[in-house]
Amino acid sequence: MDYKDIPILKALKDYAEEGLSYFHMPGHKGGNVFKKTGLTEFDIELLRMDVTEVPGIDNLHCPEGAIETAQERAAKAFGAEHTFFLVNGTTGGIYSMIMAATKPGDKVIIPRNCHRAVTGAVILGKLHPVYISPEFDVRLEIASGISTEAVLKAVQQNPDAKAVVVTNPTYYGVCSDLEKLAEIAHSHNMLLLVDEAHGAHFAFNKRLPKSALECGADMVAQSTHKTLTSMTQSSMLHVRSERVDIDKLKLFLQLTQTTSPSHILLASLDTARYIMQEKGEKLLDDVIDWCDSFRKEMEAVKGIHCLGSKDIGRDGIYDFDRTRLTVNLSELNISGTEADKLLRSKFKLQVEMADLNNIVAICSVGDTESDIEKLAQALKHIASDAPEKHKTSGYKPKIYSKIPKMELMPWEAVYRQSEDVPLMQSVGCISGEMIIPYPPGIPIVMPGEVITREILDYALDCLYNGIKINGVKDAGLKFIQVLK
Ligand SMILES: Cc1ncc(COP(=O)(O)O)c(C=O)c1O
């Protein structure tokens, strides 16, 4: 192994091997304390490399050594002009890219079902959100991609907006037509900012959807830890655009991230890039083949439907991630959440996510063919077992796509005092919290928006039919927080 191709890892390894006594942070002193106390679960060899910015180890916030080189290599590998390593997840990247593209009071066009990191940026940046409803796929019963028509309408109605934010792919692996969206945003003088948390692998195999950078996005935040191989919390932000103020972006990266970044996390980002550059295409080819076989095998199972090529073109599904296994079980007598529990308890398999009718399994270059085959076999068992043993309500999630009246900006609502009121007394009040039935995961009310009877009826219908309500303090919806 030639460590010079993984510069951060090399710097840490060289330092750890120098045989120094550590009179610097962190206080575990190269893992010594775990040796002393017998807590050997913590890997001492790794912890020798968990060091602070001593000479020879670069500084994330003003890199001029190993981190600078590693970021440059990552930029080249991912097709960016600038790449920034992130230690506060994609969340920190999303905060930074949105706030670097705007100033307080600016409008941003965002999907109504965006990740809370986007909503967080809207609050922190005191922005004016303009929502676009995602499409809803009736077959899989999931919120799907963003249509070009919806984005075009939003930019035409809000020519003063500064940016369009898109989640691509979605958690379920659905992709929108990003090239068109980039064209629309740019022709209206707006930036296209992509939350590509689930698509960091796209750049490394042509059989996958095009990466957001390739499609023309200006800034892209990716969770390297989700679909590539870096450690939890480590992500990347890529820029390829003349429209971005890099100095402002750097400032926001400093404001949203710790001054004590873990160099182990940074080395894991460096290593993830190295693995993908050296072997990514072949490793992904294998995973895609195994996932294709999985989908083919599942096609023959009555009652199971996987997101796949045949779904392209329907309900906002422009493309899909072939490494993601989104399995709809709604024709079986078992819910996604029950199947999730069975997969764990009976088959020793843990999937990423389950909702009322689907399970979602993330596959990556770390998987083996036999693991994916185990999942296929387990699902076949569950399907053959389901008709007799499992019962579900058969409820189909519906979509509520009306956007309520926004009386206050989300950030204004956050600073107002709120109180709990019985749900039915909240009609006409300004909401202090979000109500997000999951699925489909689209907020029906946001802080600062006016609660209507129709919204409450929809929320109660969801709750009654076993759909989880996220975003609220009282998930049983007896009370709701409204602004005083
Ligand atoms: C669509 C999406 N965006 C952003 C994030 C935030 O990423 P991170 O956990 O790396 O901060 C997530 C995390 O689950 C996500 O699913």
Side-chain angles (χ1 to χ4, degrees), residues 89-91 94 115 167 195 197-198 223 225-226 235:
T90 297
T91 300
I94 290 175
H115 187 264
T167 312
D195 171 356
H198 293 272
S223 297
H225 67 94
K226 291 196 203 305
S235 288

Side-chain angles (χ1 to χ4, degrees), residues 88-117:
N88 185 19
T90 297
T91 300
I94 290 175
Y95 288 170
S96 302
M97 75 174 175
I98 295 181
M99 288 196 278
T102 54
K103 57 181 178 359
D106 278 347
K107 280 185 185 168
V108 274
I109 297 172
I110 62 175
R112 183 71 174 172
N113 63 335
C114 60
H115 187 264
R116 64 186 226 188

Side-chain angles (χ1 to χ4, degrees), residues 380-412:
K380 279 187 197 167
H381 265 284
I382 289 176
S384 63
D385 213 20
E388 303 95 52
K389 301 229 175 104
H390 310 286
K391 285 269 165 294
T392 53
S393 67
Y395 180 75
K396 302 263 175 211
K398 293 175 226 131
I399 190 148
Y400 184 87
S401 55
K402 280 191 203 162
I403 313 265
K405 180 164 181 252
M406 188 163 59
E407 200 64 54
L408 293 172
M409 294 292 147
W411 72 266
E412 289 174 306

